[in-house]
Amino acid sequence: MDQRITPAETAGTGPDLSGAVRQDWTRAEVRALFELPFPDLIYHAQRIHRAHFDPREVQLSTLLSIKTGGCPEDCAYCPQSARYDTGVKADKLMDVDAVLAEARAAKAAGASRFCMGAAWRNPKERDLDRVCTMVAGVKALGLETCATLGMLTAGQAQRLKDCGLDYYNHNLDTSPEFYGEIITTRTFDDRLDTLGHVRDAGINVCCGGIVGMGESREDRVGMILALATLPAHPESVPINMLVQVGGTPLATGRTLDAIEFVRTIAVARITMPASVVRLSAGREDMSEETQALCFLAGANSIFCGPKLLTTPNPERNRDRALMDKLGMVPMD
Ligand code: SF4
């Protein structure tokens, strides 16, 4: 049954709750969604979620750091930046065989997508040769492939497409207004350029952001607005809760209220109704109840495996137990 309601039903009475896929969201509309009473927000997010997805299904991805640490960028949340003393050791790019062994293990554990992350500002051509071999090898195992390697040129995006890359992750991180507080070594527009190259090459876009970095509600509005008004909605939208890591500039500070995090997920679901919304970093410290609320709010993807690049993530058996408890199943 199509559970969408028509724009006419909500016209003049508040934000568009029709569940239509549109890129012309306004700041006032996104703000109004954030301000909905929580029961209404969750109801509409769940209703719209059901119009596009099976609400029991959760897409499972595994993320492997193929090149850890030593990154020249200054992202304030990131333990892999060479500028911060976080205890993360800088490693070289992994060998292809070692990556493929990890991919086989991820597949055996139920993952359908294997993401490879490298701590680079942008990949060098020589390194990209090896990454392309990894991508082709992971694809041959029957897994969807995803990579996050920093900024790409149009030519690099095309090379990745040609070797079989399905998704490229490149987050906007936060609102354009707050962005300068978090990163100074590359601009918001640089990020949009890379996303454009990825999209033009025909690779699916994985793009989201991080909350809990000291931003305001209005910045969360701005972040969702920036994502929902991209030329096309990202196929995957990871919403991360900041993991405070010692040594980074964001190691301390007030954590974000869990209900506000759930609201952010719900607004992402309503504004990007056909995208897979990933409950991403920060799950290790999240209660089962908060995670369940996120699923109710329309999250339908998680990273599984004990580590997310360098920060802890729930063990697979804990995720399996939670999914069993909620009657949820892995998406094919
Ligand atoms: S988030 Fe990525 S680009 Fe930024 S410092 Fe970390 S590894 Fe480098």
Side-chain angles (χ1 to χ4, degrees), residues 71 73-75 77-78 80-81 118-120 186:
C71 182
E73 301 294 278
D74 71 349
C75 310
Y77 52 81
C78 183
Q80 301 202 66
S81 169
W120 288 320
R186 69 174 92 166

